[in-house]
Amino acid sequence: MKQPQIKPGRLKLKSRMILILGVMALVQTGFIGLFALHYLERSLDEQIGQRALDVAKTIAAMPQIVDAVKRRDIEYLQPVSLSLAITTRARFVVIGDKSGIRLAHPKPEKLGHSMADDDGDTGYQALIQGQGYIAKAVGSLGWSMRGKAPVVMSDGTIVGLVSVGYGLDRVSEIINRYRVTLLLVILCSFILSAVIAVWFANHFKKAIFGLEPEQIARLFDEQRATLESVREGIIAINSNSEITTVNQTAIETLGLPKESNLIGRKVDEVLPDSSMLEVLQNGEPQYDREVWRGDFCIIANRLPLKQGDKITGAVSSFRRKDELDMVSQKLTRIQQYADTLRSQSHEYSNKLHTIAGLIEIGATDEALNLIGQESASHQELIHLLMRAVPDPILAGCLLGKYNRARELGLKLIIDPESEMKQLPDYLPREQLVTILGNLIDNALEATLRQQGSEGEIQLSMTDLGNDLIFEIEDQGEGLSEQQQLQIFEKGYSSKNSEGHGYGLHLVQSLLHKLNGSISIESTLAGGSRFTVYIPKNKN
């Protein structure tokens, strides 16, 4: 089958997967990297700020510094601040009095000026509230993290403050180094994503037979249209016995609501007696199986779905047998009518020849007697059927079998006490005729083989009680216990000729559908008696 074409200029699956996975890798690594850099920058700032505050508190607590700040001894504080900056590796150590005027600064020209000249911070929190704090600001010495602590005398009087700053150049260097690392990680992630995308795309395309997504979508639409156009019902299940495919014909054939959503449901929930589970387990296909669904029969074919040697599911196609049955039933009726007419024609032809011969030889009394006997016999049968079997289809079947028996030289004796007036409406007459017709035909053949043209077949019927009961007794050679067990198997026959072994199997199948039963017993004369029970109520 020619594969559906995709539009020119559209990227293929492999290219799209590489692009998508690559963009995802870029976005993910970029987002994570930016977050990591931001978190690292804040963490470094906090660490440097805390260090600056700790150094500021240490310097502010030194007795010499406290005494010098109280005396505003710039000559002592200036060189000490420079020395302390070198010792603590700080960018600067600035000392101010209680008014925020610089007493020590790396730039001598800044001495005597307010500390707010650089960043506007007067040190209010340290000078007034007596609390150390951290601040990030740009001053005359550039960006720095500053820790400021009050200089407090032993009696708690605040006489000044110490500001220690660490430059952020180191932080920038670390952040830049990590940025380079991040770019390398992003590049490696993109390359890795591209490699994975190529491998996954190749593996995925192999699993979907090299098709592109658009081709799969087109095939899916075509498959759906094909399924809906088929007049047979189709159901497919996966390895978990869940329904994956079902067309509208299947829903209508099974008598389910038209809006039923069967996808994803267990097949045994929808069809409790389905054999699809059996196919799923053993992998053996089933062809032309008859399945009764309510009041109608469907013909089902079931096949396993395999991927290699593994069974991945099963598919069933089925159709109602109604149309075939209707044709078959019409043909059966026509055949029965033809047999009846042929039998009657043959029989009456012989009778007419006999009557004509009697008239020619002048034996008119014998001719009239023969005509009377023939008329009385038929009239007696017709009166019996009209009284006991008002249903015309069943009566016609029995009349035809009566004539067939006479043609074979046999007698079909219907018990005059028989009565079959309460045939339920639900009982299909064609199925009842099929059941009785096959049993009577078998009885005629068995009797003819054993007794020749002198045999008799007994038929009795009753509709008393909850069941319809039919008894057919032949004068055949009888059936052994083993034959009684096998006689209803499809294809089994006591006759050697081909084309036999299906009638009794059909009888049992129809009785099973009607919730009826059949029994076999041997008669004292050596023949067999078949008794059929069909319940009057459907349930």
Side-chain angles (χ1 to χ4, degrees):
M1 183 179 67
K2 187 177 180 181
Q3 295 181 353
Q5 301 296 318
I6 60 175
K7 294 181 179 180
R10 178 171 290 180
L11 291 177
K12 292 189 175 182
L13 178 63
K14 183 183 295 185
S15 301
R16 276 183 277 178
M17 295 188 72
I18 293 175
L19 181 61
I20 292 173
L21 290 180
V23 171
M24 288 179 61
L26 289 175
V27 172
Q28 290 179 350
T29 53
F31 177 78
I32 295 174
L34 292 175
F35 175 79
L37 289 177
H38 177 71
Y39 180 80
L40 177 62
E41 184 177 7
R42 287 190 58 184
S43 179
L44 290 175
D45 286 348
E46 290 177 0
Q47 291 179 16
I48 294 174
Q50 189 61 44
R51 181 179 179 183
L53 180 59
D54 292 341
V55 172
K57 288 181 177 180
T58 301
I59 295 174
M62 296 172 63
Q64 304 93 317
I65 298 299
V66 175
D67 185 62
V69 171
K70 179 182 177 182
R71 292 184 287 103
R72 297 179 51 90
D73 190 349
I74 295 177
E75 293 181 0
Y76 172 78
L77 295 173
Q78 178 67 11
V80 171
S81 66
L82 296 175
S83 176
L84 289 173
I86 295 173
T87 302
T88 58
R89 297 183 180 180
R91 172 170 289 186
F92 60 83
V93 175
V94 177
I95 303 174
D97 61 12
K98 62 181 180 181
S99 299
I101 303 300
R102 297 188 186 94
L103 302 178
H105 194 277
K107 294 182 179 180
E109 63 273 16
K110 297 289 185 177
L111 296 175
H113 296 282
S114 173
M115 296 175 69
D117 291 347
D118 286 339
D119 55 10
D121 186 1
T122 60
Y124 174 83
Q125 191 172 348
L127 292 174
I128 305 302
Q129 298 180 350
Q131 298 177 355
Y133 63 95
I134 299 171
K136 181 178 181 180
V138 59
S140 59
L141 299 177
W143 278 98
S144 61
M145 288 298 298
R146 306 175 180 188
K148 297 188 178 184
V151 179
V152 185
M153 294 181 63
S154 59
D155 59 358
T157 303
I158 299 174
V159 296
L161 78 161
V162 176
S163 176
V164 176
Y166 283 90
L168 297 179
D169 298 339
R170 180 62 177 167
V171 174
S172 298
E173 292 177 4
I174 295 175
I175 297 300
N176 290 333
R177 186 170 70 248
Y178 276 98
R179 282 198 183 96
V180 174
T181 303
L182 176 62
L183 291 175
L184 293 176
V185 170
I186 292 175
L187 180 61
C188 292
S189 297
F190 180 80
I191 296 174
L192 179 62
S193 299
V195 172
I196 294 176
V198 172
W199 173 83
F200 183 73
N202 290 332
H203 177 75
F204 186 71
K205 291 199 69 174
K206 182 179 179 181
I208 59 176
F209 306 101
L211 298 175
E212 296 293 326
E214 292 78 13
Q215 293 173 316
I216 296 175
R218 182 74 61 81
L219 288 175
F220 178 80
D221 291 338
E222 292 177 358
Q223 180 197 45
R224 175 56 59 181
T226 302
L227 286 175
E228 296 302 333
S229 65
V230 173
R231 296 186 63 183
E232 290 191 348
I234 297 177
I235 293 180
I237 61 174
N238 59 19
S239 57
N240 296 323
S241 73
E242 297 172 342
I243 297 176
T244 57
T245 301
V246 59
N247 63 353
Q248 192 62 35
T249 304
I251 295 176
E252 295 174 356
T253 302
L254 297 174
L256 300 174
K258 292 185 178 181
E259 302 301 325
S260 298
N261 184 13
L262 305 182
I263 303 299
R265 294 180 59 184
K266 295 285 187 179
V267 68
D268 52 354
E269 295 178 2
V270 181
L271 302 172
D273 55 348
S274 175
S275 297
M276 294 185 71
L277 295 178
E278 181 181 342
V279 175
L280 191 63
Q281 292 174 357
N282 57 32
E284 296 294 331
Q286 299 177 355
Y287 298 102
D288 296 330
R289 297 292 181 90
E290 292 188 5
V291 180
W292 287 101
R293 175 76 180 178
D295 294 333
F296 58 87
C297 178
I298 61 177
I299 304 298
N301 295 286
R302 306 178 185 95
L303 296 174
L305 299 176
K306 295 184 177 181
Q307 190 170 11
D309 296 331
K310 182 180 180 182
I311 300 176
T312 58
V315 62
S316 174
S317 62
F318 49 89
R319 65 189 183 277
R320 289 186 62 162
K321 196 182 175 184
D322 292 8
E323 295 182 1
L324 295 177
D325 281 346
M326 290 176 63
V327 174
S328 178
Q329 290 162 7
K330 289 180 180 179
L331 291 175
T332 300
R333 289 183 186 178
I334 293 173
Q335 183 65 40
Q336 290 176 350
Y337 296 154
D339 289 342
T340 301
L341 291 174
R342 181 172 58 83
S343 300
Q344 291 180 341
S345 175
H346 181 72
E347 181 181 2
Y348 282 109
S349 177
N350 292 331
K351 298 291 184 181
L352 287 174
H353 286 305
T354 302
I355 294 171
L358 290 173
I359 293 175
E360 287 180 0
I361 63 176
T364 55
D365 292 338
E366 288 79 358
L368 291 173
N369 186 37
L370 179 61
I371 294 172
Q373 290 179 356
E374 186 65 25
S375 177
S377 174
H378 273 79
Q379 286 298 322
E380 182 179 355
L381 175 63
I382 291 173
H383 283 306
L384 172 61
L385 292 178
M386 290 180 63
R387 175 188 60 81
V389 188
D391 186 88
I393 296 178
L394 179 57
C397 173
L398 296 178
L399 182 59
K401 296 304 178 184
Y402 175 85
N403 292 321
R404 173 62 177 165
R406 295 191 62 177
E407 179 187 5
L408 296 174
L410 304 175
K411 292 182 180 180
L412 175 59
I413 301 175
I414 300 177
D415 187 351
E417 300 298 325
S418 295
E419 191 167 286
M420 191 58 58
K421 298 179 179 180
Q422 299 181 22
L423 290 180
D425 294 335
Y426 89 89
L427 179 61
R429 301 303 188 264
E430 294 81 4
Q431 295 180 12
L432 179 60
V433 166
T434 300
I435 293 172
L436 290 179
N438 277 285
L439 291 175
I440 294 175
D441 286 341
N442 281 355
L444 292 173
E445 292 181 11
T447 302
L448 185 64
R449 287 198 309 268
Q450 187 70 15
Q451 305 293 336
S453 60
E454 300 298 326
E456 294 181 356
I457 297 92
Q458 302 285 339
L459 171 64
S460 64
M461 303 171 287
T462 180
D463 55 7
L464 296 177
N466 297 324
D467 296 326
L468 306 177
I469 302 176
F470 300 87
E471 286 188 0
I472 299 96
E473 182 177 326
D474 61 48
Q475 292 182 340
E477 60 183 354
L479 297 172
S480 66
E481 293 183 0
Q482 182 65 27
Q483 288 176 319
Q484 291 181 14
L485 294 175
Q486 295 179 329
I487 197 169
F488 294 108
E489 294 180 3
K490 188 175 182 180
Y492 177 82
S493 175
S494 60
K495 298 178 283 292
N496 296 326
S497 58
E498 296 183 358
H500 295 279
Y502 298 94
L504 291 180
H505 173 73
L506 178 59
V507 168
Q508 189 180 53
S509 299
L510 292 174
L511 287 174
H512 177 72
K513 176 196 169 185
L514 298 173
N515 295 323
S517 62
I518 184 171
S519 64
I520 308 174
E521 57 183 343
S522 299
T523 64
L524 296 176
S528 299
R529 181 184 298 112
F530 290 78
T531 306
V532 174
Y533 302 88
I534 301 176
K536 293 181 181 179
N537 297 323
K538 185 175 182 180
N539 295 325

PDB file of all heavy atoms in Angstrom, residues 150-171:
ATOM      1  N   PRO A 150      28.619  49.484  65.892  1.00  0.00           N
ATOM      2  CA  PRO A 150      28.831  50.658  66.762  1.00  0.00           C
ATOM      3  C   PRO A 150      30.050  50.455  67.687  1.00  0.00           C
ATOM      4  O   PRO A 150      30.360  49.325  68.082  1.00  0.00           O
ATOM      5  CB  PRO A 150      27.533  50.717  67.552  1.00  0.00           C
ATOM      6  CG  PRO A 150      27.057  49.313  67.610  1.00  0.00           C
ATOM      7  CD  PRO A 150      27.463  48.698  66.313  1.00  0.00           C
ATOM      8  N   VAL A 151      30.711  51.551  68.005  1.00  0.00           N
ATOM      9  CA  VAL A 151      31.803  51.549  68.992  1.00  0.00           C
ATOM     10  C   VAL A 151      31.181  51.967  70.318  1.00  0.00           C
ATOM     11  O   VAL A 151      30.696  53.098  70.457  1.00  0.00           O
ATOM     12  CB  VAL A 151      32.942  52.502  68.589  1.00  0.00           C
ATOM     13  CG1 VAL A 151      34.049  52.495  69.656  1.00  0.00           C
ATOM     14  CG2 VAL A 151      33.494  52.120  67.220  1.00  0.00           C
ATOM     15  N   VAL A 152      31.166  51.083  71.275  1.00  0.00           N
ATOM     16  CA  VAL A 152      30.433  51.289  72.531  1.00  0.00           C
ATOM     17  C   VAL A 152      31.402  51.241  73.701  1.00  0.00           C
ATOM     18  O   VAL A 152      32.243  50.330  73.789  1.00  0.00           O
ATOM     19  CB  VAL A 152      29.351  50.204  72.702  1.00  0.00           C
ATOM     20  CG1 VAL A 152      28.517  50.486  73.949  1.00  0.00           C
ATOM     21  CG2 VAL A 152      28.446  50.148  71.470  1.00  0.00           C
ATOM     22  N   MET A 153      31.238  52.212  74.576  1.00  0.00           N
ATOM     23  CA  MET A 153      32.074  52.241  75.776  1.00  0.00           C
ATOM     24  C   MET A 153      31.529  51.224  76.784  1.00  0.00           C
ATOM     25  O   MET A 153      30.462  50.653  76.592  1.00  0.00           O
ATOM     26  CB  MET A 153      32.056  53.642  76.385  1.00  0.00           C
ATOM     27  CG  MET A 153      32.720  54.695  75.483  1.00  0.00           C
ATOM     28  SD  MET A 153      32.703  56.322  76.245  1.00  0.00           S
ATOM     29  CE  MET A 153      33.720  56.009  77.703  1.00  0.00           C
ATOM     30  N   SER A 154      32.262  51.052  77.854  1.00  0.00           N
ATOM     31  CA  SER A 154      31.880  50.063  78.869  1.00  0.00           C
ATOM     32  C   SER A 154      30.562  50.406  79.547  1.00  0.00           C
ATOM     33  O   SER A 154      29.857  49.520  80.021  1.00  0.00           O
ATOM     34  CB  SER A 154      32.988  49.931  79.918  1.00  0.00           C
ATOM     35  OG  SER A 154      33.225  51.200  80.530  1.00  0.00           O
ATOM     36  N   ASP A 155      30.216  51.692  79.553  1.00  0.00           N
ATOM     37  CA  ASP A 155      28.947  52.068  80.181  1.00  0.00           C
ATOM     38  C   ASP A 155      27.784  52.064  79.192  1.00  0.00           C
ATOM     39  O   ASP A 155      26.673  52.486  79.517  1.00  0.00           O
ATOM     40  CB  ASP A 155      29.067  53.450  80.825  1.00  0.00           C
ATOM     41  CG  ASP A 155      29.439  54.525  79.797  1.00  0.00           C
ATOM     42  OD1 ASP A 155      29.632  54.175  78.582  1.00  0.00           O
ATOM     43  OD2 ASP A 155      29.535  55.702  80.170  1.00  0.00           O
ATOM     44  N   GLY A 156      28.071  51.610  77.976  1.00  0.00           N
ATOM     45  CA  GLY A 156      27.021  51.506  76.965  1.00  0.00           C
ATOM     46  C   GLY A 156      26.875  52.727  76.096  1.00  0.00           C
ATOM     47  O   GLY A 156      25.991  52.753  75.228  1.00  0.00           O
ATOM     48  N   THR A 157      27.703  53.704  76.261  1.00  0.00           N
ATOM     49  CA  THR A 157      27.604  54.920  75.446  1.00  0.00           C
ATOM     50  C   THR A 157      28.212  54.670  74.079  1.00  0.00           C
ATOM     51  O   THR A 157      29.325  54.147  73.964  1.00  0.00           O
ATOM     52  CB  THR A 157      28.325  56.086  76.128  1.00  0.00           C
ATOM     53  OG1 THR A 157      27.770  56.275  77.435  1.00  0.00           O
ATOM     54  CG2 THR A 157      28.165  57.354  75.317  1.00  0.00           C
ATOM     55  N   ILE A 158      27.472  55.046  73.042  1.00  0.00           N
ATOM     56  CA  ILE A 158      27.961  54.883  71.666  1.00  0.00           C
ATOM     57  C   ILE A 158      28.770  56.112  71.309  1.00  0.00           C
ATOM     58  O   ILE A 158      28.263  57.250  71.363  1.00  0.00           O
ATOM     59  CB  ILE A 158      26.791  54.708  70.703  1.00  0.00           C
ATOM     60  CG1 ILE A 158      25.967  53.442  71.053  1.00  0.00           C
ATOM     61  CG2 ILE A 158      27.275  54.595  69.249  1.00  0.00           C
ATOM     62  CD1 ILE A 158      24.713  53.269  70.228  1.00  0.00           C
ATOM     63  N   VAL A 159      30.048  55.876  70.980  1.00  0.00           N
ATOM     64  CA  VAL A 159      30.933  56.991  70.664  1.00  0.00           C
ATOM     65  C   VAL A 159      31.324  57.023  69.188  1.00  0.00           C
ATOM     66  O   VAL A 159      31.991  57.974  68.751  1.00  0.00           O
ATOM     67  CB  VAL A 159      32.199  56.922  71.540  1.00  0.00           C
ATOM     68  CG1 VAL A 159      31.825  57.090  73.011  1.00  0.00           C
ATOM     69  CG2 VAL A 159      32.935  55.607  71.339  1.00  0.00           C
ATOM     70  N   GLY A 160      30.957  56.040  68.431  1.00  0.00           N
ATOM     71  CA  GLY A 160      31.316  56.026  67.009  1.00  0.00           C
ATOM     72  C   GLY A 160      30.906  54.729  66.353  1.00  0.00           C
ATOM     73  O   GLY A 160      30.133  53.935  66.906  1.00  0.00           O
ATOM     74  N   LEU A 161      31.472  54.507  65.141  1.00  0.00           N
ATOM     75  CA  LEU A 161      31.163  53.263  64.446  1.00  0.00           C
ATOM     76  C   LEU A 161      32.329  52.865  63.559  1.00  0.00           C
ATOM     77  O   LEU A 161      33.169  53.710  63.206  1.00  0.00           O
ATOM     78  CB  LEU A 161      29.910  53.373  63.591  1.00  0.00           C
ATOM     79  CG  LEU A 161      30.001  54.091  62.223  1.00  0.00           C
ATOM     80  CD1 LEU A 161      28.840  53.708  61.353  1.00  0.00           C
ATOM     81  CD2 LEU A 161      30.065  55.596  62.405  1.00  0.00           C
ATOM     82  N   VAL A 162      32.390  51.580  63.249  1.00  0.00           N
ATOM     83  CA  VAL A 162      33.424  51.014  62.373  1.00  0.00           C
ATOM     84  C   VAL A 162      32.733  50.418  61.159  1.00  0.00           C
ATOM     85  O   VAL A 162      31.772  49.655  61.289  1.00  0.00           O
ATOM     86  CB  VAL A 162      34.252  49.942  63.099  1.00  0.00           C
ATOM     87  CG1 VAL A 162      35.249  49.307  62.137  1.00  0.00           C
ATOM     88  CG2 VAL A 162      34.960  50.542  64.290  1.00  0.00           C
ATOM     89  N   SER A 163      33.223  50.733  59.965  1.00  0.00           N
ATOM     90  CA  SER A 163      32.680  50.187  58.717  1.00  0.00           C
ATOM     91  C   SER A 163      33.792  49.435  57.998  1.00  0.00           C
ATOM     92  O   SER A 163      34.834  50.021  57.678  1.00  0.00           O
ATOM     93  CB  SER A 163      32.145  51.309  57.827  1.00  0.00           C
ATOM     94  OG  SER A 163      31.702  50.801  56.588  1.00  0.00           O
ATOM     95  N   VAL A 164      33.555  48.156  57.780  1.00  0.00           N
ATOM     96  CA  VAL A 164      34.543  47.311  57.087  1.00  0.00           C
ATOM     97  C   VAL A 164      33.909  46.865  55.763  1.00  0.00           C
ATOM     98  O   VAL A 164      32.770  46.360  55.740  1.00  0.00           O
ATOM     99  CB  VAL A 164      34.911  46.088  57.935  1.00  0.00           C
ATOM    100  CG1 VAL A 164      35.867  45.183  57.164  1.00  0.00           C
ATOM    101  CG2 VAL A 164      35.532  46.532  59.248  1.00  0.00           C
ATOM    102  N   GLY A 165      34.638  47.057  54.671  1.00  0.00           N
ATOM    103  CA  GLY A 165      34.096  46.691  53.363  1.00  0.00           C
ATOM    104  C   GLY A 165      34.992  45.729  52.614  1.00  0.00           C
ATOM    105  O   GLY A 165      36.221  45.840  52.668  1.00  0.00           O
ATOM    106  N   TYR A 166      34.331  44.794  51.939  1.00  0.00           N
ATOM    107  CA  TYR A 166      35.034  43.843  51.071  1.00  0.00           C
ATOM    108  C   TYR A 166      34.529  44.059  49.651  1.00  0.00           C
ATOM    109  O   TYR A 166      33.317  44.131  49.393  1.00  0.00           O
ATOM    110  CB  TYR A 166      34.750  42.395  51.495  1.00  0.00           C
ATOM    111  CG  TYR A 166      35.538  41.980  52.717  1.00  0.00           C
ATOM    112  CD1 TYR A 166      35.020  42.168  53.986  1.00  0.00           C
ATOM    113  CD2 TYR A 166      36.793  41.396  52.589  1.00  0.00           C
ATOM    114  CE1 TYR A 166      35.741  41.790  55.112  1.00  0.00           C
ATOM    115  CE2 TYR A 166      37.517  41.015  53.724  1.00  0.00           C
ATOM    116  CZ  TYR A 166      36.984  41.205  54.973  1.00  0.00           C
ATOM    117  OH  TYR A 166      37.694  40.839  56.087  1.00  0.00           O
ATOM    118  N   GLY A 167      35.447  44.178  48.725  1.00  0.00           N
ATOM    119  CA  GLY A 167      35.080  44.393  47.333  1.00  0.00           C
ATOM    120  C   GLY A 167      34.374  43.186  46.732  1.00  0.00           C
ATOM    121  O   GLY A 167      34.564  42.047  47.151  1.00  0.00           O
ATOM    122  N   LEU A 168      33.551  43.451  45.712  1.00  0.00           N
ATOM    123  CA  LEU A 168      32.785  42.392  45.060  1.00  0.00           C
ATOM    124  C   LEU A 168      33.448  41.914  43.777  1.00  0.00           C
ATOM    125  O   LEU A 168      32.843  41.168  43.006  1.00  0.00           O
ATOM    126  CB  LEU A 168      31.369  42.891  44.754  1.00  0.00           C
ATOM    127  CG  LEU A 168      30.529  43.266  45.981  1.00  0.00           C
ATOM    128  CD1 LEU A 168      29.165  43.779  45.559  1.00  0.00           C
ATOM    129  CD2 LEU A 168      30.398  42.096  46.927  1.00  0.00           C
ATOM    130  N   ASP A 169      34.693  42.335  43.565  1.00  0.00           N
ATOM    131  CA  ASP A 169      35.400  41.874  42.364  1.00  0.00           C
ATOM    132  C   ASP A 169      35.567  40.354  42.381  1.00  0.00           C
ATOM    133  O   ASP A 169      35.432  39.679  41.355  1.00  0.00           O
ATOM    134  CB  ASP A 169      36.773  42.548  42.262  1.00  0.00           C
ATOM    135  CG  ASP A 169      36.650  44.055  42.124  1.00  0.00           C
ATOM    136  OD1 ASP A 169      35.550  44.505  41.718  1.00  0.00           O
ATOM    137  OD2 ASP A 169      37.607  44.772  42.428  1.00  0.00           O
ATOM    138  N   ARG A 170      35.859  39.808  43.558  1.00  0.00           N
ATOM    139  CA  ARG A 170      36.021  38.355  43.678  1.00  0.00           C
ATOM    140  C   ARG A 170      34.717  37.636  43.379  1.00  0.00           C
ATOM    141  O   ARG A 170      34.713  36.588  42.717  1.00  0.00           O
ATOM    142  CB  ARG A 170      36.501  38.035  45.109  1.00  0.00           C
ATOM    143  CG  ARG A 170      36.715  36.561  45.372  1.00  0.00           C
ATOM    144  CD  ARG A 170      37.792  35.980  44.492  1.00  0.00           C
ATOM    145  NE  ARG A 170      38.048  34.582  44.793  1.00  0.00           N
ATOM    146  CZ  ARG A 170      38.756  33.780  44.024  1.00  0.00           C
ATOM    147  NH1 ARG A 170      39.260  34.238  42.864  1.00  0.00           N
ATOM    148  NH2 ARG A 170      38.976  32.529  44.382  1.00  0.00           N
ATOM    149  N   VAL A 171      33.653  38.222  43.857  1.00  0.00           N
ATOM    150  CA  VAL A 171      32.351  37.628  43.569  1.00  0.00           C
ATOM    151  C   VAL A 171      32.093  37.614  42.065  1.00  0.00           C
ATOM    152  O   VAL A 171      31.642  36.629  41.490  1.00  0.00           O
ATOM    153  CB  VAL A 171      31.232  38.387  44.301  1.00  0.00           C
ATOM    154  CG1 VAL A 171      29.853  37.850  43.884  1.00  0.00           C
ATOM    155  CG2 VAL A 171      31.423  38.279  45.798  1.00  0.00           C
TER     156      VAL A 171
END
